């Protein structure tokens, strides 16, 4: 029937069947449309409410900035840091090329884009909600809001406030005013806030006198001020230059810099930093190491620390810190004479880690942070040399590796120790790589144990190829070396001879893993942090089995023999069960001793560096010695420090679980006829170690598997006793003058080759 007279009746629609089963759970299109509309209205309402409710706050006052307090492990004060260096200047005092450099580095669309980057903020917010690390991508307006009105905390709430304030600010002030504020509030490192303070801190001039190259470098610093300060972190020089070039290229692409002028520019090396007197001596090195540690672990970056209000308890123990400094002074500094040019090149660094907790209990970064602020304990620009050989052996044990003849590698496995012998690939074919032993000395057929004692390059070059460079690298990283260690990825077969450049801190962590029977624990420099009185949550330290206990303990047993009768006998002055390895880099630019007791893992290194140019220098003749090797000063420092650091504590031995724990056999020290080799005896150093041993690792053939190179420099003298020496072991605890044969190192170390026949990199450069 029709509802209206004269209208045709509407046909009846069939009844829609009821939704059953899973279909009842699926929303209809009407429900979806309504839900979407409600969500959009709610979002719009939230944005409007946020815009109305969030006001532009009062600027943060520089006067309210607080100091950061750094404490020793016992709660006593280490240092107090935090004076604001800022001078505001109008925008017209900043040259256009400096402004353009900053825009090219941070926000090229600043003048014609919205004040907020919503997509970048959503990525950052989502990343933080998932518990991820910091996420940036903010516009200059947003960064200015954060610098001037808010704080550096990475929270969703702060990000939301940043958005609304940035939008309001962009509507109320001009772009030029925002850029001026940004340039005056940004942190450039060296405690400098603003472009004027940065110009003085890095180049000793006002901002208006900055060149294009200098302005581009300061703009590059905004991304990571500490990392790109090439004076404080010479190992990052390449990264800083790359960032500088990125800024210049951006200026060219935006039409702000002529390409021809760009091609003429050269990287402008900054001035050295003027360090606060409050950071003099060892304090500055410790504070810088702690700041780097906080940033690397995501606890607080340099921008957050710059706000102040932090109270940081370190793991450094005052008594052990004094013991380490005293050992360096007694064993090394007393042997140096400023009238000898070579002695002005000598730099020492050391790190000591508690094997049980992973805490860094002592660190020696240098004589005085004010005079030389590059931390020798954390720098990563000198080859580790033969301290890497234990990683080769550990990799062999961990992976049940075999020689190219099919024999399982172990302490009794025999290798050809002939200097200059071509390394054979696992397919039995020659590789074209023929590394030489130190002084080109050959040893004939030797066991692996003897190869470790005497640090024979020919043995470990071949073993590294037998095991495989990839497995050696993986083992070193598993034990604790950072994957980003310079030279670690680039090196091929030469990785076995220590061409990578870890720091003493890196190596101490890896050797501590061996001391813990293969269990890796995060190395820590900080135990507690508070901000404005509130505790800051610290990341949970990592704890895992890096390699099997059998592989770790087998390596430790091998290293015990190095201290008992190999190149590291000077370390026996610790008076405790000890294991360790010496190492001397190519051309004697660095000498190392890395060792451990069951309680402490400590690495000591001596570097050669020109104080004026920063170029790595050979240490021949330093401290009145023919050469400096790992078995000399570094091992002596290690022995004295370890003895004092563990004084009064029970003597404990290594609880080793390995199939063939090798004791040092008398036959290893005798000639073929069973009598002592008089030639070796006559060459024995005051350390009581074979002078050609560890240092036998020092091939002058710098070729890699693809190429055999010629000697890179003069062969280090070896095989003679120290001037005035008697050939008898000296008391490592008794420093002697150079004229009396100070514990210097006639024990030649290894001098590993640079990969591919290239000379070692200069400071700040990774090994080729």
């Amino acid at each position: 029937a029709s509802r209206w007279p004269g209208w045709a009746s509407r046909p009846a629609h069939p009844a829609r069947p009821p939704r059953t089963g899973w279909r009842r759970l699926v929303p209809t299109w009407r429900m979806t449309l309504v839900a979407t509309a409600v969500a959009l209205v709610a979002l719009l309402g939230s944005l409007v409410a946020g815009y109305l409710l969030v006001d532009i706050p009062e600027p943060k006052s520089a006067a309210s900035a607080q100091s950061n307090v750094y404490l020793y492990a016992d709660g006593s004060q280490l240092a107090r840091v935090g004076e604001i260096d800022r001078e505001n200047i109008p925008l017209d005092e900043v040259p256009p090329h400096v402004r353009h450099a900053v825009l090219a580095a941070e926000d090229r669309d600043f003048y014609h884009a919205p004040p907020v980057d919503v997509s970048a903020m959503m990525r950052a917010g989502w990343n933080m909600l998932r518990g991820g690390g910091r996420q940036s991508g903010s516009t200059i307006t947003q960064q200015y809001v954060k610098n001037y009105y808010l704080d550096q905390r990475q929270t969703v709430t702060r990000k939301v406030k940043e958005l609304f304030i940035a939008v309001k600010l962009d509507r109320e002030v001009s772009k030029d005013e925002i850029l001026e504020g940004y340039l005056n509030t940004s942190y450039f490192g060296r405690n400098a806030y603003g472009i004027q303070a940065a110009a003085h801190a890095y180049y000793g001039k006002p901002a208006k006198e900055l060149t294009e190259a200098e302005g581009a470098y300061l703009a590059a610093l905004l991304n990571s001020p500490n990392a790109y300060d090439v004076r404080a972190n010479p190992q990052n020089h390449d990264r800083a230059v790359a960032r500088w070039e990125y800024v210049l290229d951006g200026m060219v692409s935006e039409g702000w810099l002529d390409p021809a002028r760009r091609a003429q520019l050269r990287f402008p090396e900054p001035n050295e930093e003027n360090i606060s007197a409050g950071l003099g001596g060892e304090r500055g090195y410790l504070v810088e190491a702690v700041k780097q540690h906080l940033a690397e672990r995501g606890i607080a970056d340099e921008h957050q620390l710059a706000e102040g209000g932090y109270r940081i308890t370190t793991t450094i123990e005052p008594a052990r810190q004094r013991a380490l400094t005293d050992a360096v002074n007694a064993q090394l500094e007393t042997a140096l004479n400023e009238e000898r040019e070579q002695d002005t090149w000598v730099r020492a660094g050391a790190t000591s880690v508690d094997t049980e907790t992973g805490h860094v209990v002592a660190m020696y970064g240098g004589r005085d942070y004010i005079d030389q602020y590059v931390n020798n304990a954390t720098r990563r620009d000198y080859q580790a040399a033969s301290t890497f050989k234990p990683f080769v052996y550990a990799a062999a044990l961990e992976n049940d590796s075999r020689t190219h003849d099919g024999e399982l590698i172990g302490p009794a496995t025999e290798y050809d120790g002939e200097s200059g012998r071509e390394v054979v690939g696992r397919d039995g074919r020659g590789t074209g790589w023929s590394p030489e032993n130190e002084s080109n000395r050959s040893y004939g057929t030797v066991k692996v144990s003897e190869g470790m004692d005497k640090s024979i390059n020919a043995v470990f070059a071949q073993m590294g190829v037998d095991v495989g460079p990839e497995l050696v690298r993986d083992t070193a990283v598993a034990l604790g070396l950072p994957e980003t260690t310079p030279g670690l990825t680039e090196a091929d077969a030469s990785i076995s001879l220590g061409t990578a450049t870890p720091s003493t801190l890196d190596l101490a962590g890896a050797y501590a893993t061996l001391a813990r029977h293969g269990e890796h624990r995060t190395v820590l420099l900080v135990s507690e942090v508070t901000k404005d009185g509130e505790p800051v949550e610290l990341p949970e330290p990592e704890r895992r089995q890096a390699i099997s206990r059998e592989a770790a303990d087998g390596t430790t047993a091998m290293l015990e023999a190095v201290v008992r009768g190999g190149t590291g006998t000077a370390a026996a002055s610790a008076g405790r069960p000890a294991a360790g390895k010496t190492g001397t880099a190519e051309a004697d630019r660095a000498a190392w001793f890395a060792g451990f007791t069951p309680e402490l893992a400590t690495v000591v290194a001596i570097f050669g560096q020109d104080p004026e140019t920063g170029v790595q220098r050979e240490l021949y003749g330093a401290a009145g010695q023919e050469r400096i090797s790992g078995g000399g000063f570094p091992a002596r420092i290690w022995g004295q420090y370890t003895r004092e650091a563990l004084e009064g504590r029970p003597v404990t031995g290594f609880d080793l679980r390995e199939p063939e724990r090798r004791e040092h056999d008398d036959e290893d020290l005798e000639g073929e006829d069973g009598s002592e080799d008089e030639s070796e005896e006559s060459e024995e150093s005051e350390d009581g170690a074979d002078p050609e041993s560890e240092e036998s690792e020092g091939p002058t053939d710098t070729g890699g598997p693809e190429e055999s190179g010629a000697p890179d420099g003069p062969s280090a003298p070896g095989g003679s006793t120290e001037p005035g020496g008697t050939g008898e072991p000296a008391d490592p605890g008794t420093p002697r003058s150079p004229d009396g044969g100070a514990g210097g190192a006639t024990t030649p170390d290894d001098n590993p080759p640079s990969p591919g026949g290239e000379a070692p990199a200069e400071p700040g450069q990774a090994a080729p």
Side-chain angles (χ1 to χ4, degrees):
S2 64
R3 288 179 293 177
W4 303 100
W7 285 41
S9 300
R10 185 172 60 182
H13 289 285
R16 178 172 298 176
R19 294 161 58 88
T20 60
W22 61 269
R23 291 183 177 85
R24 290 182 299 174
L25 303 178
V26 179
T28 65
W29 67 270
R30 291 187 180 87
M31 295 170 61
T32 302
L33 182 61
V34 170
T36 302
V38 170
L40 289 175
V41 170
L43 177 62
L44 182 61
S46 298
L47 292 175
V48 172
Y51 184 84
L52 295 175
L53 293 175
V54 176
D55 294 323
I56 299 178
E58 289 297 317
K60 294 185 298 184
S61 172
S64 66
Q66 305 175 62
S67 298
N68 293 322
V69 179
Y70 295 83
L71 306 174
Y72 285 108
D74 64 358
S76 58
Q77 183 169 304
L78 165 61
R80 181 181 293 271
V81 181
E83 295 180 1
I84 297 298
D85 179 11
R86 175 185 288 135
E87 179 185 348
N88 292 340
I89 58 174
L91 188 62
D92 58 14
E93 289 189 21
V94 181
H97 57 259
V98 176
R99 299 181 225 166
H100 291 150
V102 171
L103 294 177
E106 297 297 311
D107 187 0
R108 298 177 188 181
D109 296 327
F110 171 70
Y111 274 101
H112 49 79
V116 298
D117 186 337
V118 177
S119 61
M121 290 191 67
M122 290 178 65
R123 287 196 304 270
W126 176 245
N127 190 60
M128 287 184 288
L129 285 173
R130 292 185 304 157
R134 290 187 58 204
Q135 194 84 20
S136 187
S138 300
T139 66
I140 278 182
T141 304
Q142 290 174 264
Q143 293 182 56
Y144 172 53
V145 168
K146 178 178 64 176
N147 293 340
Y148 196 51
Y149 297 104
L150 301 175
D151 55 42
Q152 300 290 332
R153 290 177 296 178
Q154 293 292 317
T155 64
V156 175
T157 302
R158 201 225 69 201
K159 277 287 183 182
V160 171
K161 287 183 178 180
E162 177 186 301
L163 183 150
F164 290 120
I165 296 172
V167 171
K168 279 192 171 184
L169 191 67
D170 189 66
R171 292 173 61 89
E172 296 182 12
V173 301
S174 69
K175 291 282 190 180
D176 280 350
E177 289 177 286
I178 293 174
L179 181 59
E180 177 182 304
Y182 175 74
L183 289 171
N184 281 318
T185 57
S186 294
Y187 183 61
F188 289 83
R190 298 192 179 185
N191 211 34
Y193 289 81
I195 191 68
Q196 181 81 332
H200 284 290
Y202 288 90
Y203 293 109
K205 61 174 68 171
K208 63 184 178 182
E209 296 179 10
L210 290 171
T211 66
E212 294 104 321
E214 292 166 346
Y217 176 64
L218 295 184
L221 286 169
L222 290 166
N223 182 259
S224 185
N226 184 59
Y228 293 149
D229 186 341
V230 296
R231 289 289 189 173
N233 293 288
Q235 67 270 23
N236 291 342
H237 196 279
D238 284 351
R239 291 177 55 199
V241 172
R243 180 69 182 176
W244 174 75
E245 291 177 339
Y246 164 81
V247 173
L248 292 176
D249 292 342
M251 294 173 69
V252 172
S253 68
E254 295 293 326
W256 297 328
L257 180 64
D258 182 72
R261 175 59 179 163
R262 160 70 179 90
Q264 297 173 353
L265 298 180
R266 297 294 178 266
F267 184 75
E269 297 289 343
N271 300 335
E272 292 188 356
E273 182 178 3
N274 293 321
I275 305 298
S276 165
L279 293 178
E282 65 190 21
R283 292 189 296 274
Y285 298 115
L286 296 176
V287 168
E288 281 304 310
V290 169
K291 289 168 65 177
Q292 181 178 337
H293 179 78
L294 292 170
E296 289 177 349
R297 301 207 70 212
I299 300 169
D301 63 23
E302 54 200 312
H303 297 283
Q304 293 169 305
L305 289 173
E307 287 189 340
Y310 284 89
R311 186 177 180 86
I312 301 158
T313 303
T314 73
T315 58
I316 302 295
E317 299 178 9
R320 286 176 168 172
Q321 183 67 27
R322 285 192 297 271
L324 184 55
T325 302
D326 289 347
V328 173
N329 290 337
Q331 297 295 336
L332 176 65
E333 294 295 337
T334 57
L336 300 179
N337 187 332
E338 292 184 357
E339 296 182 1
R340 272 192 300 264
E341 183 183 20
Q342 298 95 321
D343 288 9
T344 66
W345 303 339
V346 175
R347 304 282 183 270
T351 302
S352 184
V353 174
D354 184 294
T355 59
E356 175 61 28
T357 62
H359 288 180
V360 177
V361 296
M363 175 180 284
Y364 183 86
R367 299 184 186 98
D368 192 334
Y369 187 65
I370 294 178
D371 295 334
Q372 187 224 340
Y373 54 86
V374 175
N375 190 335
N376 294 321
T378 58
R379 67 188 306 164
R380 292 173 175 156
D381 54 348
Y382 283 82
Q383 293 182 347
S386 289
T387 59
F388 223 87
K389 288 176 179 173
F391 303 150
V392 182
Y393 185 65
L397 297 184
E398 177 68 9
N399 296 283
D400 293 327
S401 300
R402 296 177 180 272
T403 67
H404 65 278
D405 293 328
E407 180 185 354
L408 197 65
I409 297 175
T413 304
E414 294 185 339
Y415 275 95
D416 187 348
E418 180 184 356
S419 180
R421 180 185 64 80
E422 183 180 20
V423 174
V424 179
R426 282 179 281 185
D427 58 1
R429 302 171 61 183
T431 63
W433 184 37
S434 307
E436 294 180 358
N437 298 330
E438 174 62 22
S439 299
N440 202 25
R441 181 179 179 183
S442 293
Y443 291 83
T445 301
V446 297
K447 296 177 181 178
V448 169
S449 55
E450 183 180 353
M452 185 73 81
D453 285 356
K454 298 179 179 179
S455 204
I456 302 173
N457 278 339
V459 171
F460 284 90
Q462 182 62 62
M463 188 190 301
V465 171
D466 291 343
V467 175
E470 299 83 5
L471 291 179
V472 173
R473 185 180 300 110
D474 291 346
T475 300
V477 171
L479 289 170
L481 289 194
E483 293 185 40
T484 55
T485 299
L488 190 61
T489 302
E490 300 89 330
D492 191 17
S494 61
I495 190 174
S496 302
L497 301 185
T499 52
T501 60
S503 66
T504 66
L505 176 61
D506 299 331
L507 275 179
Y511 273 64
T513 302
L514 293 175
R516 281 190 299 269
H517 312 292
E519 182 188 72
H520 171 72
R521 296 183 186 177
T522 303
V523 174
L524 300 174
L525 259 167
V526 170
S527 61
E528 183 180 351
V529 178
T530 63
K531 173 71 165 76
D532 298 328
E534 296 295 324
V536 175
E537 184 177 357
L538 304 182
E540 191 68 26
E542 183 183 35
R543 183 170 180 171
R544 56 178 169 78
Q545 193 68 30
I547 61 175
S548 67
R549 176 166 183 167
E550 289 74 18
D553 287 0
T555 304
T556 297
M558 189 77 73
L559 298 181
E560 280 190 286
V562 172
V563 175
R564 285 198 304 270
T567 59
T569 54
S573 62
R576 291 172 176 269
K581 187 71 187 75
T582 52
T584 304
E586 186 178 28
D588 276 27
R589 292 183 174 95
W592 303 73
F593 184 79
F596 55 93
T597 67
E599 303 87 357
L600 289 177
T602 305
V603 176
V604 181
I606 296 177
F607 307 120
Q609 183 177 27
D610 191 300
E612 299 298 327
T613 66
V615 172
Q616 294 185 9
R617 302 301 297 263
E618 299 84 354
L619 289 171
Y620 301 133
Q625 306 302 308
E626 287 185 90
R627 62 174 305 187
I628 302 294
S629 71
F633 288 120
R636 292 179 182 277
I637 292 169
W638 189 96
Q640 177 179 328
Y641 162 73
T642 303
R643 182 177 66 247
E644 294 179 8
L646 296 175
E647 186 176 4
R649 300 182 181 233
V651 175
T652 58
F654 293 105
D655 178 21
L656 302 183
R657 181 193 303 167
E658 49 97 23
E660 226 180 300
R661 182 176 181 183
R662 187 183 78 90
E663 297 297 333
H664 208 288
D665 299 326
D666 291 339
E667 62 180 342
D668 289 340
L669 304 178
E670 296 177 352
E672 292 182 1
D673 60 356
S675 61
E676 293 186 358
D677 186 328
E678 293 182 2
S679 64
E680 291 190 26
E681 174 68 22
S682 66
E683 294 175 350
E684 193 170 10
S685 74
E686 287 191 320
D687 292 335
D690 177 0
E692 302 293 354
S693 57
E694 131 95 286
E695 320 339 25
S696 52
E697 10 178 311
T700 51
D701 178 348
T702 60
E706 301 298 327
E707 165 183 1
S708 176
D712 181 56
S715 297
S720 60
T721 56
E722 300 167 3
T726 63
E728 296 296 323
D731 178 4
T734 307
R736 293 155 61 187
S737 69
D739 294 334
T746 51
T747 318
D749 263 300
D750 33 292
N751 297 328
S754 294
E758 297 294 333
E762 298 300 341
Q765 307 285 334

